[in-house]
Structures are given as structure tokens and as C-alpha cells.
């Protein structure tokens, strides 16, 4: 039964909401802040509004900022000097609220003004490019931003404009799935983005980085940046920014089938969108909650959330979310046995998808429709829907195959054969049903189907068991048998990958070599069982002290290696110092209380002169040697590459 939803379709809205921890959740924290900003807005409208006041509102509540800008533009004379700036504010608010026509239209009106300063021209050009992006014209957005970035790099402009332009260009690259280009722009802008302000800030860039890492299925890094974005946004009480990062993180948890976390962050996104009067944000969050409830088979809650979000998507003209809602309603109807309603809802979704190209989503819609039609006994219609689903599925696979022919050829051939087998099976069922109506002799058909089901079940079970065995062997091949941490092969492979990533994207990378002190004395004095106990206790403590994105493993004897991506030298030394102190507190009963383990650690940070990982490892090893020479039980930072240690 085709009951799944494509990940790209299920996350509809992320491409249209390209706005850019520990989080203590307080149920009452949002309402007072929201009330305070609304009172401030009302008070502001009572007097002469200024662009500065509107830009402050833009940080927290874009909707009032947009309304204020539109009121001012309606009252100001055509030749007023502030009109271009008000157009910029209106366009940026429209982008924040995912209103494509407002974002692009206001920017174009501002650019047509004869009163433009050089900086306002660049600001409005960036705003127009953002409007083009969320209007589905990402290629035009990139062309415009190429010119803007070149102008900003050559002239003397506020650095904020370059931050805005590079982030906007990364968003457009993301919209056309050019993730490498998006990542390059975002990693360039991440260190220079301001912590706070009315336009692009560090939280926005962190959310965008999370989106890119999520798109390439690097979920640990995606989670890290989303949590950072949420923390920054909440510190500023910027509810729109917080809600977008929370929605994105919830989508990652949903793909990982972590339903409780997904529901929690969708609910947070809903609360913060409501605090910002972001009606579309509330609708997207309710849409996400409906998906999670459906997976958990809470059909009543799922239907309620879907129906609450639908009018907002209809008012905004968001076709893909509307289609997803009807697909969800069709799934709910099917689960309840209301097959006729399932056919109606899936038909409405297909009608909407006539204007949107999404082959994967369309073929799954048709497959669900076919199941409902078959359950109603409408075999001819079911066969027609299934045939169309198979054709669209084949077209989708061919499109993916063209993108990466060498990687996808085997999958395509296998999937095409499977679709042909399913089509043949359904056709046989149709013929058997017709024969049953005419002759009432279905025994041979039933026996054949049972035998086929048993055979398929056996083959599926065999494939699952084989996959489990391969996975278990793969884990064992990369794990140190004694300590349970990564072995030398795994650590070196990880170091090579992180080394290349850091060199390519100019990010920081630190490593630490750790060598247990006097370990030979432990084996000689207390026996090898005691030595093994020390190694296990130390490895467990060290691995538990690091982040999920770090790597820790044993590279031989009593030597270990820690890899810390996105970490500079001072932070790495602090982490290793905590680990050194924790080693002195290890409990090892076999040592009989007469000997306490200690460790010598050398820390090295990737340098431009490190030609390969061997040079980086040599600097860390030299630092360990100096730690040993200095009396052991200490952390020593490596010399820079190319320097000479006397």
C-alpha cells in the first residue's frame, strides 16, 4: 500500500520560508513578550512612525512592520525621501512572512524611485532577489545577486550588505539544490555575521547551514546549527526566526522517526509563530504536527491539524502544502475505511499538483488512489491509476538517473522491475476478480496468491537478515574490540575526511593525541586484566566527554586520538584539560587504590602548512612527547606547522 510521503513534499514550505542548545521551554514566556511588542506597535502607530521603529519591529514581529510600512507608503508624497527605505522594510517583512508578491513587488517599486542612495539601491536589490527566490525564480535571483556581490566587494559599503547578499545567494542556490555553492557562501559569511540586528544575523546563517546539511543528510551538523539558531533567536526574542529554525529541526527529527522530539519542536514553532502573528508559520507548524500524529495513528488529531492549516495555504496560494494536506486527509480516510473519501481527497491533491512538478509525490498520490479504488471494487479505475503511477515513477527514476547515472543505474533497473511486477500483480488481481464474478471459481487464484506471498515473505526475511549481518560485521570492522570506541581504521578514515572538509571550506579542525602515562608499569605490577580495565574506563570516559560530531578512537596500545571539527585550539585545549582531570578521578578497582592513571595530551590545530594528515599527526605526537618530557599528566599545544622546536 503506497502510504508514504516524499521527504521533499513533506517538508513543503521550507523552500518558501528561507528565513533565517540547550533550550528551556516556558509555556508562559511567549505571551507576555508578544503582548509587549503589540502594545509597543500600537503606541508607535499613535505617533509619527519612523523607519528605525519599523526595523526594530521587523526583528520580532514582521507582520506589524509590514502594515506600518504600507501605511506610511500610502500617506507619504511620491517625492518623499523616506519612500525607498519604507519599500525596503515592506519587502523584507514580506520575505520574512513568505509572501512572494509583496517581497518582490515592494522591492521593484523602491528601485524605481529617483531618490535612491547607493546603499539603498543595494539593499533593495537584495530584497528583490529574495522575492524572486521565494517566487520560484531562483536562477534569476542568483544572476541579480552575482552583480550585487561584485559591487559590494569593490565598493565601500557597510559589511552588513555583504552578509545579506551572500546569505540570500546561498538561499537561492539551496532552492535549486546546488548545495555545494550554498555551503561555500554560508561558511564564508558565518564568521562575519552580526550577533543581533534587524537584518541577517548569525541565527539566520546558522538556520541556513542547518538546511543545507539536512539536505545532504548530514544530520548531526544540521542539528548543531539549528540548535544554535534557536538559542540566538530566543535571546533576541525574535519569534519568527526561532519558529523557522524549530520547524526545520522538527523536520529533521521527523525524517529520523524521532516522533516525540519532532512533535515537541513543531509545537514550539507553532507557539513562536503565533507570538509573531505569523499566520503561515502557525499553519506550517500545524501541518508538521498533523504528519507526526498520522504516523503515530492519532487520526483525529491529525485530521484536525490538517484542516486548521488548509485555509491559510489556500489564502496564500501555496499549492504544494495544499496538496500535501489533501494527501494526508486521503491517508486518514483510507485508514478509517472511508475509501470513497480517500478517492475524493487524493483527486483534489492531484488537481493541485497539475501546476507543480513533483514526480515522486504524484506517483505516491496515484498509488494511494489506486488502493482506495481497488477497495471500492472499481478495478478498471484502480488499474488506470496504478498504471499512471508506474509511468510517473519511472519518469522520476529516469530524472534522478540523469543526475547521477553511474550511482543510480542499478537502483533504477531494480525499481523499474519492481514496479513492473507490481503492475503485473495488480493486473492479475483485476483479471481474477472479473473471473470470480463470472464463474465464482477463485480457488486456484487464492492458492497462487498465498504461495506467492509466502515466497515473497521468505525472500524479504532473507534480505533483512542478510542486511543485519552485513551491518553488524561493518560495525565490528570499525570498532576496537577491547574498549568499544573507534579503531585505528575508523579514526584515520574520519581524520582524512574531516581534513579534506576543513581544507575545502576553510573551517577549523583540531586533533588531540592522548597517551596514558606509565601504562607498562600497570601491566607489569597489576597484570594485563588491570591494564584492560584502565583502557576501558578511560575510553568510556573520554568518548562520553565529547560531542556527537567529534570522533574518538584507539590507535594502538595505550594511545588514543580525538578529532574535533569546527573547534579552534583554545577550546580544544580546554576540552582536553577537562579530560585530563577526569582521568585522575577514574575508579579502577584492580589497581587496589595504590596507583591512579594519568594521561599526557598533545593538541594540534590544522594549519595551512599541513600538507597532509601525517604532518598534522606528527605535530600532535611531538606535543605529546613534550608533555612527557615536561613531567607527564599535562596538556601541551603543538607548535605551528613550519616552526622549529629547539
Amino acid at each position: 500500500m503506497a502510504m508514504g510521503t516524499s521527504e521533499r513534499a513533506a517538508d513543503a514550505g521550507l523552500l518558501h520560508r528561507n528565513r533565517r542548545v540547550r533550550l528551556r521551554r516556558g509555556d508562559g514566556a511567549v505571551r507576555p513578550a508578544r503582548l509587549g511588542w503589540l502594545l509597543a506597535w500600537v503606541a508607535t502607530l499613535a505617533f509619527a512612525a519612523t523607519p528605525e521603529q519599523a526595523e526594530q519591529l521587523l526583528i520580532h514581529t514582521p507582520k506589524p512592520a509590514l502594515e506600518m510600512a504600507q501605511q506610511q507608503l500610502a500617506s507619504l508624497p511620491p517625492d518623499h525621501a523616506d519612500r525607498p527605505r519604507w519599500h525596503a522594510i515592506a519587502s523584507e517583512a514580506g520575505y520574512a512572512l513568505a509572501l512572494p508578491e509583496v517581497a518582490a513587488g515592494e522591492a521593484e517599486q523602491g528601485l524605481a524611485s529617483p531618490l535612491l542612495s547607493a546603499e539603498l539601491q543595494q539593499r533593495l536589490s537584495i530584497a528583490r532577489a529574495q522575492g524572486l527566490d521565494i517566487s520560484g525564480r531562483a536562477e534569476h535571483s542568483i544572476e541579480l545577486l552575482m552583480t550585487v556581490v561584485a559591487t559590494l566587494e569593490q565598493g565601500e559599503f557597510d559589511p552588513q550588505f555583504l552578509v545579506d547578499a551572500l546569505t540570500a545567494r546561498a538561499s537561492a542556490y539551496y532552492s535549486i539544490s546546488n548545495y555545494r555553492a550554498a555551503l561555500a557562501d554560508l561558511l564564508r559569511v558565518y564568521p562575519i555575521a552580526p550577533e543581533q540586528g534587524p537584518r541577517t544575523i548569525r541565527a539566520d546563517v546558522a538556520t541556513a547551514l542547518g538546511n543545507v546539511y539536512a539536505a545532504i543528510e548530514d544530520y548531526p551538523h544540521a542539528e548543531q546549527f539549528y540548535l544554535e539558531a534557536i538559542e540566538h533567536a530566543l535571546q533576541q526574542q525574535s519569534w519568527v526566526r526561532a519558529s523557522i529554525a524549530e520547524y526545520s529541526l522538527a523536520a529533521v527529527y521527523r525524517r529520523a522517526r524521532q516522533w516525540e522530539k519532532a512533535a515537541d519542536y513543531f509545537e514550539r514553532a507553532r507557539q513562536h509563530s503565533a507570538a509573531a502573528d505569523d499566520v503561515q508559520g502557525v499553519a506550517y507548524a500545524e501541518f508538521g504536527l498533523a504528519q507526526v500524529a498520522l504516523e503515530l495513528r492519532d487520526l483525529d488529531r491529525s485530521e484536525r491539524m490538517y484542516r486548521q492549516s488548509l485555509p491559510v495555504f489556500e489564502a496564500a496560494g501555496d499549492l504544494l502544502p495544499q496538496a500535501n494536506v489533501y494527501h494526508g486527509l486521503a491517508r486518514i480516510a483510507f485508514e478509517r475505511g472511508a475509501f470513497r473519501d480517500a478517492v475524493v481527497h487524493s483527486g483534489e491533491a492531484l488537481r493541485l499538483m497539475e501546476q507543480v512538478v513533483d514526480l515522486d509525490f504524484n506517483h505516491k498520490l496515484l498509488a494511494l488512489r489506486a488502493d482506495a479504488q481497488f477497495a471500492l471494487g472499481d478495478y478498471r479505475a484502480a488499474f488506470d491509476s496504478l498504471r499512471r503511477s508506474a509511468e510517473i515513477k519511472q519518469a522520476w527514476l529516469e530524472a534522478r538517473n540523469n543526475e547521477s547515472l553511474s550511482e543510480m543505474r542499478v537502483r533504477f533497473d531494480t525499481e523499474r522491475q519492481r514496479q513492473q511486477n507490481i503492475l503485473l500483480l495488480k493486473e492479475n488481481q483485476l483479471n481474477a476478480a472479473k473471473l470470480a464474478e463470472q464463474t465464482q471459481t477463485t480457488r486456484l487464484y487464492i492458492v497462487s496468491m498465498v504461495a506467492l506471498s509466502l515466497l515473497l515473505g521468505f525472500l524479504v526475511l532473507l534480505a533483512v537478515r542478510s542486511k543485519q549481518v552485513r551491518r553488524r560485521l561493518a560495525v565490528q570492522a570499525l570498532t576496537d574490540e577491547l574498549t568499544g570506541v573507534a579503531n585505528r581504521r575508523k579514526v584515520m578514515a574520519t581524520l582524512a575526511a574531516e581534513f579534506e572538509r576543513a581544507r575545502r571550506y576553510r573551517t577549523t579542525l583540531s586533533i588531540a593525541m592522548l597517551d596514558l602515562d606509565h601504562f607498562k608499569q600497570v601491566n607489569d605490577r597489576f597484570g594485563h586484566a588491570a591494564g584492560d580495565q584502565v583502557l576501558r574506563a578511560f575510553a568510556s570516559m573520554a568518548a562520553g566527554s565529547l560531542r556527537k560530531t567529534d570522533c574518538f578512537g584507539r590507535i594502538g596500545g595505550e594511545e588514543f586520538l580525538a578529532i574535533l571539527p569546527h573547534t579552534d585550539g583554545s577550546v580544544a585545549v580546554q576540552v582536553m584539560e577537562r579530560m585530563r582531570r577526569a582521568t585522575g578521578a577514574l575508579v579502577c578497582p584492580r589497581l587496589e587504590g595504590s596507583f591512579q592513571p594519568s594521561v599526557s595530551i598533545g593538541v594540534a590545530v590544522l594549519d595551512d602548512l599541513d600538507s597532509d594528515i601525517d604532518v598534522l599527526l606528527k605535530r600532535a605526537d611531538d606535543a605529546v612527547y613534550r608533555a612527557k618530557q615536561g613531567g607527564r599528566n599535562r596538556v601541551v599545544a603543538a607548535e605551528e606547522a613550519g616552526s622549529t622546536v629547539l
Side-chain angles (χ1 to χ4, degrees), residues 40-66:
W41 172 48
V42 172
T44 301
L45 290 179
F47 303 97
T50 66
E52 291 79 10
Q53 292 169 330
E55 286 170 346
Q56 286 302 312
L57 280 177
L58 188 61
I59 301 174
H60 307 280
T61 50
K63 185 177 179 181
L66 174 60

Side-chain angles (χ1 to χ4, degrees), residues 27-50:
D27 291 337
V30 171
R31 297 186 183 88
R34 178 187 181 189
L35 180 61
W37 278 104
L38 290 178
L39 290 174
W41 172 48
V42 172
T44 301
L45 290 179
F47 303 97
T50 66

Side-chain angles (χ1 to χ4, degrees), residues 457-486:
F458 173 77
L459 292 176
V460 169
L461 179 61
L462 185 63
V464 170
R465 292 285 178 84
S466 176
K467 184 176 181 180
Q468 289 174 343
V469 170
R470 289 197 302 271
R471 186 184 294 115
R472 186 162 55 251
L473 291 175
V475 171
Q476 291 174 351
L478 299 175
T479 303
D480 179 61
E481 184 177 358
L482 174 62
T483 62
V485 298

Side-chain angles (χ1 to χ4, degrees), residues 476-643:
Q476 291 174 351
L478 299 175
T479 303
D480 179 61
E481 184 177 358
L482 174 62
T483 62
V485 298
N487 62 13
R488 182 181 183 87
R489 176 189 298 178
K490 172 64 174 177
V491 172
M492 290 306 176
T494 301
L495 178 58
E498 292 294 345
F499 183 90
E500 291 302 319
R501 189 204 305 267
R503 291 287 293 272
R504 183 180 300 114
Y505 299 119
R506 310 293 297 173
T507 58
T508 55
L509 172 65
S510 297
I511 68 169
M513 192 82 73
L514 304 93
D515 193 321
L516 289 169
D517 298 327
H518 303 298
F519 188 76
K520 186 175 184 303
Q521 295 181 22
V522 173
N523 284 330
D524 293 343
R525 182 176 173 186
F526 301 99
H528 288 281
D532 291 348
Q533 184 182 70
V534 170
L535 290 173
R536 283 192 294 268
F538 174 77
S540 176
M541 175 277 296
S545 301
L546 298 177
R547 303 169 300 184
K548 291 182 179 180
T549 53
D550 300 332
C551 179
F552 181 82
R554 184 183 179 196
I555 58 176
E558 66 273 21
E559 289 185 316
F560 296 83
L561 182 65
I563 304 169
L564 295 84
H566 299 285
T567 306
D568 60 30
S570 62
V571 174
V573 169
Q574 293 175 13
V575 173
M576 291 302 115
E577 184 61 28
R578 289 198 300 270
M579 198 176 292
R580 182 194 67 79
R581 291 195 297 269
T583 303
L586 289 176
V587 177
C588 301
R590 289 184 179 271
L591 300 183
E592 303 171 352
S594 58
F595 184 89
Q596 186 61 41
S598 65
V599 63
S600 297
I601 305 175
V603 176
V605 181
L606 179 62
D607 190 277
D608 288 338
L609 296 179
D610 290 326
S611 57
D612 54 37
I613 61 174
D614 291 333
V615 176
L616 181 61
L617 286 168
K618 177 65 167 56
R619 292 200 294 114
D621 193 55
D622 289 343
V624 173
Y625 177 80
R626 287 191 285 117
K628 296 284 188 182
Q629 292 295 104
R632 294 183 170 82
N633 191 23
R634 63 194 60 220
V635 180
V636 173
E639 300 288 337
E640 294 183 357
S643 62

Side-chain angles (χ1 to χ4, degrees), residues 229-230 233-234 238-247 268-269 272:
I230 292 168
L234 292 178
S238 181
W239 310 131
V240 169
R241 284 172 169 135
S243 71
I244 293 167
E246 287 162 345
Y247 179 94
R268 297 184 193 203
H272 287 131

Side-chain angles (χ1 to χ4, degrees), residues 95-235:
Y95 176 67
L97 294 169
L99 301 173
E101 294 182 2
V102 173
E106 293 287 351
E108 288 170 359
Q109 291 183 53
L111 287 168
S113 171
L115 307 172
L116 279 180
S117 65
E119 289 200 343
L120 266 177
Q121 182 177 7
Q122 301 309 317
R123 179 176 175 181
L124 283 161
S125 296
I126 295 168
R128 179 171 180 267
Q130 291 174 317
L132 291 171
D133 181 17
I134 63 174
S135 300
R137 293 176 286 174
E139 293 85 357
H140 297 300
S141 174
I142 293 170
E143 291 177 6
L144 176 57
L145 287 166
M146 288 291 188
T147 303
V148 172
V149 170
T151 302
L152 293 173
E153 289 176 334
Q154 295 174 4
E156 296 182 359
F157 291 93
D158 182 347
Q160 176 69 59
F161 288 108
L162 185 60
V163 172
D164 295 340
L166 288 172
T167 306
R169 190 170 69 178
S171 174
Y173 279 133
Y174 175 85
S175 296
I176 61 172
S177 302
N178 189 346
Y179 302 127
R180 182 169 184 171
L183 193 60
D185 274 351
L186 292 172
L187 289 175
R188 176 183 173 187
V189 79
Y190 180 74
I192 63 174
E195 292 289 335
Q196 57 185 3
R199 304 215 301 277
T200 306
I201 62 171
R202 181 74 60 84
D204 302 323
V205 182
T207 299
L209 280 167
N211 289 343
V212 174
Y213 279 120
I216 62 177
E217 299 182 357
D218 186 347
Y219 296 133
H221 281 99
E223 181 183 36
Q224 171 189 336
F225 282 111
Y226 284 144
L227 289 173
E228 177 185 335
I230 292 168
E231 184 177 21
H232 280 297
L234 292 178
Q235 287 173 354

Side-chain angles (χ1 to χ4, degrees), residues 168-361:
R169 190 170 69 178
S171 174
Y173 279 133
Y174 175 85
S175 296
I176 61 172
S177 302
N178 189 346
Y179 302 127
R180 182 169 184 171
L183 193 60
D185 274 351
L186 292 172
L187 289 175
R188 176 183 173 187
V189 79
Y190 180 74
I192 63 174
E195 292 289 335
Q196 57 185 3
R199 304 215 301 277
T200 306
I201 62 171
R202 181 74 60 84
D204 302 323
V205 182
T207 299
L209 280 167
N211 289 343
V212 174
Y213 279 120
I216 62 177
E217 299 182 357
D218 186 347
Y219 296 133
H221 281 99
E223 181 183 36
Q224 171 189 336
F225 282 111
Y226 284 144
L227 289 173
E228 177 185 335
I230 292 168
E231 184 177 21
H232 280 297
L234 292 178
Q235 287 173 354
Q236 272 200 283
Q237 295 187 338
S238 181
W239 310 131
V240 169
R241 284 172 169 135
S243 71
I244 293 167
E246 287 162 345
Y247 179 94
S248 304
L249 180 56
V252 168
Y253 286 140
R254 182 184 52 74
R255 286 197 290 272
R257 304 183 71 81
Q258 297 182 39
W259 307 123
E260 185 175 347
K261 286 186 175 180
D264 181 32
Y265 276 95
F266 277 134
E267 181 58 37
R268 297 184 193 203
R270 180 167 69 158
Q271 291 185 13
H272 287 131
S273 294
D277 285 332
D278 182 0
V279 177
Q280 282 190 289
V282 172
Y284 279 115
E286 290 175 342
F287 173 74
L289 287 167
Q291 291 178 303
V292 173
L294 181 54
E295 295 299 336
L296 296 176
R297 302 188 65 78
D298 187 349
L299 302 185
D300 292 341
R301 175 176 170 79
S302 180
E303 181 179 12
R304 184 171 68 255
M305 289 295 175
Y306 274 133
R307 292 193 182 280
Q308 286 178 194
S309 66
L310 182 58
V312 179
F313 295 143
E314 290 174 341
D318 284 351
L319 299 179
L320 191 55
Q322 290 179 62
N324 268 274
V325 169
Y326 281 112
H327 183 222
L329 293 174
R331 289 182 59 189
I332 293 169
F334 192 96
E335 290 291 333
R336 290 171 171 166
F339 303 120
R340 199 167 303 282
D341 288 343
V343 171
V344 171
H345 291 319
S346 59
E348 185 63 22
L350 288 168
R351 182 188 65 79
L352 291 165
M353 290 303 293
E354 291 176 356
Q355 304 176 56
V356 181
V357 179
D358 193 326
L359 298 177
D360 187 30
F361 186 37

